[in-house]
Amino acid sequence: MSPISRATSVADLVQQARDGQPRAVARLISLVEDRSPSLGEVSAALTPLVGHAHVVGITGSPGVGKSTSTSALVTALRAAGRRVGVLAVDPTSPFSGGALLGDRVRMQDHALDDGVYIRSMASRGHLGGLSATAPQALRVLDAAGCDVVLVETVGVGQSEVEIAGLADTTLVLLAPGMGDGIQAAKAGILEIGDVFVVNKADREGAQSTRRELRSVIGMADRGDDAWRPPVLLTTATTGDGVDEVVQAVADHHRHLDASGELVRRRLVRTRREIEALALLEVSSRFAHLSGDARLDTLAQQVLDGESDPFAAAATLVEHL
């Protein structure tokens, strides 16, 4: 996307987003996704307005009902008067480069609700179940006045642990009959979950999956004041158990706030965001060096034995 027009300034877009205009929110997120030249200005305008939204990550293996559960959570949160944002990260289309699945297909029930903003984002090859621009998109929804932002990950299985670094509360969905109780015991899955939900509880094996999870969680070494992740049963298609999940998420947020863990998690999140943006800047500078004479000179020096690759790389970095 090209830089925003002079007719619509960044300040105008941010104010329109604060006023609940979905087109302004959409345009700001598009600027983020396309890494617009105006992105620095957008970030500066958003920063004083963020820090209020409770970010809830929703993850789990394909087929556990993440989209249905997300929609059910939106319904429950809206019934409680909360303004909700949804970032649904989808696989990338090999043809258009966009999100392979559409938010309007999956969450039609909320399409006309002006208290809900839903955005599909393509992962664009980024690993860990998220999009590389998800942190900045979260800032847009936070600044736009969302009380809760739900981030639904791609659904790639055990590698999908990056959400724990982005969310205040991570909700891990499982389902009976998929071996999820055993999979959860493997490294990575148990560590990221703040609330565990066995969805499709109307199916056989839901109670045994719940018992397995509780048993494994009970063996974890936790301090006396540590949060104890609950294991809840839901049937997202009917809404059964969803209110209990909303309550558990709210309880976890209060625990984070009271213990100081919320500040610590957000500090770590911001640090990672800064690191990622710095690496992206360095990477973009390297991309312009392919035909640079300095790189050719350093390469020749290495070939001639006058230098070595590590020293040449250090010299190159110094001159970026």
Side-chain angles (χ1 to χ4, degrees), residues 135-197:
Q136 290 79 46
L138 274 177
R139 287 178 173 271
V140 174
L141 293 178
D142 190 351
C146 291
D147 300 304
V148 180
V149 179
L150 305 177
V151 184
E152 179 194 332
T153 63
V154 171
V156 294
Q158 293 180 56
S159 66
E160 199 169 341
V161 297
E162 188 177 334
I163 184 61
L166 185 68
D168 299 320
T169 299
T170 301
L171 196 157
V172 177
L173 263 64
L174 307 99
M178 298 179 65
D180 279 350
I182 302 300
Q183 293 299 319
K186 296 186 178 180
I189 301 300
L190 273 184
E191 286 79 357
I192 71 170
D194 298 307
V195 177
F196 289 88
V197 176

Side-chain angles (χ1 to χ4, degrees), residues 11 27 49 144 146 148 152 166 171 204 222 247 271 289 298:
R27 193 167 182 190
L49 305 173
C146 291
V148 180
E152 179 194 332
L166 185 68
L171 196 157
E204 184 179 355
R222 303 176 190 274
Q247 184 61 53
R271 185 175 65 192
L289 288 175
L298 289 168

Side-chain angles (χ1 to χ4, degrees), residues 70 74 84-88 107 116-120 141 149-150 152:
T70 299
V74 172
V84 184
V86 179
L87 285 182
M107 300 184 190
V116 180
Y117 183 86
I118 302 170
R119 175 70 173 236
S120 285
L141 293 178
V149 179
L150 305 177
E152 179 194 332

